[in-house]
Amino acid sequence: MEREHIVKQYDTELNEIREKLLEMGGKVEMMISNSVKALVDRDSELADQTIILDHEINHLEVDTDERCLEVLARWQPTARDLRFITLALKIVTDLERIGDQCVSIATRVKELNEEPPLKPYIDLPRLAEASSIMVKEALDAFVRGDEQLAMKVCNDDQFVDDLNIQIQRELLTFMMEDPSTITRALKLNYISKYLERIADHSTNVAEMVIFMVKGKDIRHTSAPQSTLEGQ
Amino acid sequence: MGIKLKLEGVNVFFGNNRAVKDVNIDFHANMVTAIIGPSGCGKSTVLRSINRMHDMVPSARVTGKILLDQTDIYEKNADPVSIRRRIGMVFQKPNPFPAMSIYDNVIAGYKLNGRANRQESDEIVEGSLKRVALWDEVKDRLKKSAMELSGGQQQRLCIARTIAVRPEVILMDEPCSALDPIATAKIEELINELKEQYTVAIVTHNMQQAARVSDYTAFLYLGELIEFDRTGKIFTNPEKKHTEDYITGRFG
Ligand SMILES: Nc1ncnc2c1ncn2[C@@H]1O[C@H](COP(=O)(O)OP(=O)(O)O)[C@@H](O)[C@H]1O
Ligand SMILES: [Mg+2]
């Protein structure tokens, strides 16, 4: 277990930042699942709610950034605390971007809901679930300083990439077979791509967690093997 | 950049108490090395061994090697006086000689080491006071008592007194702990300038100060050297959990 600081207030402020990030993470997970649920259930109201939720994410981003800057100014963190704060500042940006991707998904969903469904959605919800789990696990890894879990998230990115390619291929066959599906298929294509980006943001977070724990930067090194495959 | 001063397996005993245990530290030439650690861990004891100050403590005994330019300062025929001329020391409390003027304070150490004529003295006093950025503040009252100066000025005067003898290494034992933040900043700025000419070792209990002024940091605990590395490394990503707990303020 992590040792406490002699000055308790310091721990309190670091914990508040940790909690803000988790709150953001929880909201972002909800946005991911709701935006895709809005597609499957053809529920445009749910898509609207997702878009509105993004305002809260933006607020949390600003608030968390400010807290981090204040901790830097007041406590002059060093070593693991310094890595924690710089990491929190970056994670906030990734979470905010994930929120933006969800807004894009919800916007496409609303457009798609105006037209007849192209096909039953099976792989997109799987993709959404995998991306959402990656967000959750990346944040869990951050909060617990769990390098193993962070490593798993990095590995799972390959599964998401593969599933995205599979979806793109399937949609391509739809478009070739019946050009009248092109507009809808392209929108679904986008949605798949957005979900893949969300997984990339989670991978960023996970890589930074490994940096925080190990003090070793593994970004821009070759991708390891997937573990989600076959689950 | 070479190693100016090297501690090899240094132990310091006070009677049967081994206050410093098998410490190895390389002090790089023209760099500032900070020694940090909790009170009583042996920081001052290490520093004082470097200019043979323990010679004056009957119960004290130093073993191991302390190499200044590859020559052991504890060698049988090494002369403590000339060692102390080459290795100057600045203490925690500004300690100018109370009965002396500002001028005489600066030149005191130099005179101990030999005669100086008037013109030579004047040059040394002016040069040393300029070096510590005190000249403009005191040039009109050089004959006044040093005790009229503020704490920060007194500390800079003591540093001027130390560099007047033209040492190669300057040891500082918590030189800012009696000073206010502005006076502290001036000393820190001075330390930065001094390293162009000297090799500096500073003991400080202020971790942020160590982070600001030093190039290398040694962390001592219970007389042992726990970690020694570049200061940037120590304060972002130390190797030892123990070091990290200390510098992040997690020592219970
Ligand atoms: N002159 C002395 N006589 C006996 N013990 C001493 C003497 N100087 C220091 N010590 C002992 O050596 C240890 C380290 O002290 P010191 O070097 O002053 O610590 P620091 O400077 O890190 O606070 C302490 O346990 C202290 O009691
Ligand atoms: Mg001391």
mmCIF file of all heavy atoms in Angstrom, chain A residues 2-6 76 78-83 215, chain B residues 208 235-238 244-245 247-252:
data_model
loop_
_atom_site.group_PDB
_atom_site.id
_atom_site.type_symbol
_atom_site.label_atom_id
_atom_site.label_comp_id
_atom_site.label_asym_id
_atom_site.label_seq_id
_atom_site.Cartn_x
_atom_site.Cartn_y
_atom_site.Cartn_z
ATOM 1 N N GLU A 2 0.397 2.255 -0.703
ATOM 2 C CA GLU A 2 1.123 3.522 -0.829
ATOM 3 C C GLU A 2 1.265 4.195 0.527
ATOM 4 O O GLU A 2 0.307 4.302 1.285
ATOM 5 C CB GLU A 2 0.320 4.426 -1.765
ATOM 6 C CG GLU A 2 0.920 5.787 -1.962
ATOM 7 C CD GLU A 2 2.015 5.789 -2.991
ATOM 8 O OE1 GLU A 2 3.069 5.187 -2.717
ATOM 9 O OE2 GLU A 2 1.816 6.371 -4.052
ATOM 10 N N ARG A 3 2.480 4.640 0.824
ATOM 11 C CA ARG A 3 2.696 5.403 2.049
ATOM 12 C C ARG A 3 2.042 6.769 1.955
ATOM 13 O O ARG A 3 1.985 7.352 0.884
ATOM 14 C CB ARG A 3 4.190 5.617 2.219
ATOM 15 C CG ARG A 3 4.740 4.859 3.398
ATOM 16 C CD ARG A 3 6.215 5.057 3.420
ATOM 17 N NE ARG A 3 6.668 5.240 4.774
ATOM 18 C CZ ARG A 3 7.896 4.944 5.160
ATOM 19 N NH1 ARG A 3 8.755 4.485 4.289
ATOM 20 N NH2 ARG A 3 8.260 5.109 6.395
ATOM 21 N N GLU A 4 1.597 7.276 3.099
ATOM 22 C CA GLU A 4 0.964 8.592 3.078
ATOM 23 C C GLU A 4 1.986 9.702 3.230
ATOM 24 O O GLU A 4 3.071 9.498 3.764
ATOM 25 C CB GLU A 4 -0.052 8.680 4.218
ATOM 26 C CG GLU A 4 -1.254 7.792 3.977
ATOM 27 C CD GLU A 4 -2.257 7.885 5.111
ATOM 28 O OE1 GLU A 4 -1.903 8.421 6.189
ATOM 29 O OE2 GLU A 4 -3.387 7.433 4.909
ATOM 30 N N HIS A 5 1.585 10.899 2.759
ATOM 31 C CA HIS A 5 2.435 12.061 2.985
ATOM 32 C C HIS A 5 2.327 12.497 4.438
ATOM 33 O O HIS A 5 1.301 12.298 5.075
ATOM 34 C CB HIS A 5 2.009 13.225 2.081
ATOM 35 C CG HIS A 5 2.362 13.009 0.658
ATOM 36 N ND1 HIS A 5 1.475 12.523 -0.265
ATOM 37 C CD2 HIS A 5 3.515 13.202 -0.014
ATOM 38 C CE1 HIS A 5 2.068 12.430 -1.436
ATOM 39 N NE2 HIS A 5 3.306 12.834 -1.323
ATOM 40 N N ILE A 6 3.406 13.111 4.900
ATOM 41 C CA ILE A 6 3.383 13.600 6.280
ATOM 42 C C ILE A 6 2.294 14.669 6.404
ATOM 43 O O ILE A 6 1.548 14.706 7.370
ATOM 44 C CB ILE A 6 4.759 14.180 6.664
ATOM 45 C CG1 ILE A 6 5.797 13.048 6.606
ATOM 46 C CG2 ILE A 6 4.720 14.810 8.054
ATOM 47 C CD1 ILE A 6 7.229 13.517 6.580
ATOM 48 N N GLN A 76 4.782 21.642 -5.098
ATOM 49 C CA GLN A 76 6.003 21.311 -5.844
ATOM 50 C C GLN A 76 6.305 19.813 -5.796
ATOM 51 O O GLN A 76 7.335 19.393 -5.254
ATOM 52 C CB GLN A 76 7.174 22.128 -5.309
ATOM 53 C CG GLN A 76 7.018 23.600 -5.630
ATOM 54 C CD GLN A 76 7.526 24.501 -4.538
ATOM 55 O OE1 GLN A 76 8.413 24.141 -3.789
ATOM 56 N NE2 GLN A 76 6.962 25.671 -4.425
ATOM 57 N N THR A 78 7.395 16.011 -6.411
ATOM 58 C CA THR A 78 8.594 15.401 -6.997
ATOM 59 C C THR A 78 8.326 13.924 -7.237
ATOM 60 O O THR A 78 7.335 13.378 -6.761
ATOM 61 C CB THR A 78 9.801 15.505 -6.043
ATOM 62 O OG1 THR A 78 9.393 15.017 -4.759
ATOM 63 C CG2 THR A 78 10.285 16.939 -5.901
ATOM 64 N N ALA A 79 9.239 13.301 -7.962
ATOM 65 C CA ALA A 79 9.247 11.854 -8.179
ATOM 66 C C ALA A 79 7.857 11.318 -8.537
ATOM 67 O O ALA A 79 7.213 11.839 -9.425
ATOM 68 C CB ALA A 79 9.848 11.151 -6.967
ATOM 69 N N ARG A 80 7.365 10.298 -7.831
ATOM 70 C CA ARG A 80 6.111 9.661 -8.249
ATOM 71 C C ARG A 80 4.933 10.645 -8.218
ATOM 72 O O ARG A 80 4.018 10.547 -9.027
ATOM 73 C CB ARG A 80 5.801 8.426 -7.419
ATOM 74 C CG ARG A 80 5.462 8.700 -5.952
ATOM 75 C CD ARG A 80 4.753 7.504 -5.323
ATOM 76 N NE ARG A 80 5.475 6.263 -5.623
ATOM 77 C CZ ARG A 80 4.900 5.182 -6.133
ATOM 78 N NH1 ARG A 80 3.637 5.171 -6.407
ATOM 79 N NH2 ARG A 80 5.606 4.104 -6.357
ATOM 80 N N ASP A 81 4.971 11.599 -7.301
ATOM 81 C CA ASP A 81 3.890 12.586 -7.248
ATOM 82 C C ASP A 81 3.931 13.483 -8.484
ATOM 83 O O ASP A 81 2.897 13.849 -9.041
ATOM 84 C CB ASP A 81 4.001 13.445 -5.994
ATOM 85 C CG ASP A 81 3.907 12.602 -4.728
ATOM 86 O OD1 ASP A 81 3.185 11.586 -4.757
ATOM 87 O OD2 ASP A 81 4.548 12.956 -3.730
ATOM 88 N N LEU A 82 5.136 13.825 -8.889
ATOM 89 C CA LEU A 82 5.306 14.654 -10.089
ATOM 90 C C LEU A 82 4.812 13.887 -11.317
ATOM 91 O O LEU A 82 4.101 14.422 -12.161
ATOM 92 C CB LEU A 82 6.777 15.024 -10.250
ATOM 93 C CG LEU A 82 7.132 15.862 -11.472
ATOM 94 C CD1 LEU A 82 6.410 17.206 -11.434
ATOM 95 C CD2 LEU A 82 8.635 16.079 -11.550
ATOM 96 N N ARG A 83 5.190 12.628 -11.377
ATOM 97 C CA ARG A 83 4.735 11.809 -12.519
ATOM 98 C C ARG A 83 3.222 11.668 -12.494
ATOM 99 O O ARG A 83 2.561 11.696 -13.526
ATOM 100 C CB ARG A 83 5.432 10.438 -12.499
ATOM 101 C CG ARG A 83 6.952 10.532 -12.593
ATOM 102 C CD ARG A 83 7.595 9.230 -13.044
ATOM 103 N NE ARG A 83 7.341 8.105 -12.181
ATOM 104 C CZ ARG A 83 8.078 7.781 -11.120
ATOM 105 N NH1 ARG A 83 9.122 8.503 -10.794
ATOM 106 N NH2 ARG A 83 7.778 6.727 -10.403
ATOM 107 N N GLY A 215 8.508 4.606 -14.381
ATOM 108 C CA GLY A 215 9.406 5.697 -14.735
ATOM 109 C C GLY A 215 10.059 5.426 -16.070
ATOM 110 O O GLY A 215 11.089 5.975 -16.408
ATOM 111 N N GLN B 208 13.711 21.278 -2.060
ATOM 112 C CA GLN B 208 13.525 22.106 -3.248
ATOM 113 C C GLN B 208 14.812 22.861 -3.569
ATOM 114 O O GLN B 208 15.147 23.067 -4.716
ATOM 115 C CB GLN B 208 12.376 23.104 -3.028
ATOM 116 C CG GLN B 208 11.098 22.702 -3.751
ATOM 117 C CD GLN B 208 10.469 21.487 -3.139
ATOM 118 O OE1 GLN B 208 10.388 21.385 -1.922
ATOM 119 N NE2 GLN B 208 10.039 20.556 -3.962
ATOM 120 N N PHE B 235 15.060 13.648 -8.617
ATOM 121 C CA PHE B 235 13.801 14.318 -8.311
ATOM 122 C C PHE B 235 12.656 13.994 -9.261
ATOM 123 O O PHE B 235 11.529 14.446 -9.053
ATOM 124 C CB PHE B 235 14.007 15.839 -8.211
ATOM 125 C CG PHE B 235 14.668 16.228 -6.916
ATOM 126 C CD1 PHE B 235 16.046 16.305 -6.819
ATOM 127 C CD2 PHE B 235 13.906 16.447 -5.781
ATOM 128 C CE1 PHE B 235 16.665 16.613 -5.621
ATOM 129 C CE2 PHE B 235 14.515 16.763 -4.574
ATOM 130 C CZ PHE B 235 15.897 16.845 -4.495
ATOM 131 N N THR B 236 12.923 13.251 -10.330
ATOM 132 C CA THR B 236 11.795 12.809 -11.159
ATOM 133 C C THR B 236 11.587 11.309 -11.029
ATOM 134 O O THR B 236 10.461 10.848 -11.024
ATOM 135 C CB THR B 236 11.999 13.138 -12.650
ATOM 136 O OG1 THR B 236 13.229 12.568 -13.083
ATOM 137 C CG2 THR B 236 12.012 14.638 -12.882
ATOM 138 N N ASN B 237 12.666 10.585 -10.904
ATOM 139 C CA ASN B 237 12.508 9.135 -10.932
ATOM 140 C C ASN B 237 13.670 8.422 -10.246
ATOM 141 O O ASN B 237 14.472 7.763 -10.890
ATOM 142 C CB ASN B 237 12.404 8.701 -12.405
ATOM 143 C CG ASN B 237 12.026 7.247 -12.524
ATOM 144 O OD1 ASN B 237 11.470 6.654 -11.588
ATOM 145 N ND2 ASN B 237 12.334 6.654 -13.652
ATOM 146 N N PRO B 238 13.734 8.539 -8.913
ATOM 147 C CA PRO B 238 14.846 7.893 -8.212
ATOM 148 C C PRO B 238 14.754 6.376 -8.313
ATOM 149 O O PRO B 238 13.658 5.830 -8.506
ATOM 150 C CB PRO B 238 14.644 8.351 -6.762
ATOM 151 C CG PRO B 238 13.209 8.698 -6.656
ATOM 152 C CD PRO B 238 12.791 9.198 -8.009
ATOM 153 N N GLU B 244 12.641 7.938 -2.842
ATOM 154 C CA GLU B 244 11.373 8.502 -3.282
ATOM 155 C C GLU B 244 10.497 8.878 -2.092
ATOM 156 O O GLU B 244 9.923 9.975 -2.049
ATOM 157 C CB GLU B 244 10.653 7.488 -4.181
ATOM 158 C CG GLU B 244 9.355 8.027 -4.739
ATOM 159 C CD GLU B 244 9.076 7.525 -6.147
ATOM 160 O OE1 GLU B 244 9.511 8.184 -7.099
ATOM 161 O OE2 GLU B 244 8.441 6.481 -6.288
ATOM 162 N N ASP B 245 10.405 7.986 -1.122
ATOM 163 C CA ASP B 245 9.588 8.293 0.065
ATOM 164 C C ASP B 245 10.098 9.557 0.756
ATOM 165 O O ASP B 245 9.328 10.383 1.221
ATOM 166 C CB ASP B 245 9.606 7.119 1.054
ATOM 167 C CG ASP B 245 8.666 6.004 0.615
ATOM 168 O OD1 ASP B 245 7.814 6.261 -0.261
ATOM 169 O OD2 ASP B 245 8.784 4.886 1.136
ATOM 170 N N ILE B 247 12.003 12.175 -0.564
ATOM 171 C CA ILE B 247 11.877 13.446 -1.293
ATOM 172 C C ILE B 247 10.430 13.829 -1.573
ATOM 173 O O ILE B 247 10.141 14.990 -1.815
ATOM 174 C CB ILE B 247 12.677 13.473 -2.624
ATOM 175 C CG1 ILE B 247 12.154 12.416 -3.581
ATOM 176 C CG2 ILE B 247 14.155 13.325 -2.391
ATOM 177 C CD1 ILE B 247 12.685 12.618 -4.975
ATOM 178 N N THR B 248 9.521 12.856 -1.530
ATOM 179 C CA THR B 248 8.116 13.205 -1.737
ATOM 180 C C THR B 248 7.418 13.536 -0.423
ATOM 181 O O THR B 248 6.224 13.801 -0.405
ATOM 182 C CB THR B 248 7.329 12.073 -2.439
ATOM 183 O OG1 THR B 248 7.450 10.883 -1.660
ATOM 184 C CG2 THR B 248 7.856 11.831 -3.842
ATOM 185 N N GLY B 249 8.160 13.500 0.671
ATOM 186 C CA GLY B 249 7.570 13.872 1.963
ATOM 187 C C GLY B 249 6.727 12.767 2.564
ATOM 188 O O GLY B 249 5.674 13.020 3.134
ATOM 189 N N ARG B 250 7.171 11.513 2.430
ATOM 190 C CA ARG B 250 6.405 10.392 2.958
ATOM 191 C C ARG B 250 7.110 9.699 4.120
ATOM 192 O O ARG B 250 6.792 8.574 4.449
ATOM 193 C CB ARG B 250 6.152 9.365 1.857
ATOM 194 C CG ARG B 250 5.108 9.792 0.848
ATOM 195 C CD ARG B 250 4.862 8.690 -0.159
ATOM 196 N NE ARG B 250 3.673 8.917 -0.952
ATOM 197 C CZ ARG B 250 3.668 9.567 -2.101
ATOM 198 N NH1 ARG B 250 4.777 10.049 -2.582
ATOM 199 N NH2 ARG B 250 2.544 9.722 -2.778
ATOM 200 N N PHE B 251 8.089 10.360 4.710
ATOM 201 C CA PHE B 251 8.801 9.730 5.824
ATOM 202 C C PHE B 251 8.013 9.909 7.096
ATOM 203 O O PHE B 251 7.709 11.025 7.462
ATOM 204 C CB PHE B 251 10.159 10.407 5.993
ATOM 205 C CG PHE B 251 11.289 9.549 5.606
ATOM 206 C CD1 PHE B 251 11.341 9.008 4.342
ATOM 207 C CD2 PHE B 251 12.287 9.253 6.505
ATOM 208 C CE1 PHE B 251 12.398 8.203 3.970
ATOM 209 C CE2 PHE B 251 13.335 8.446 6.130
ATOM 210 C CZ PHE B 251 13.400 7.917 4.865
ATOM 211 N N GLY B 252 7.684 8.829 7.761
ATOM 212 C CA GLY B 252 6.884 8.968 8.986
ATOM 213 C C GLY B 252 7.752 9.090 10.214
ATOM 214 O O GLY B 252 8.922 8.817 10.207
#
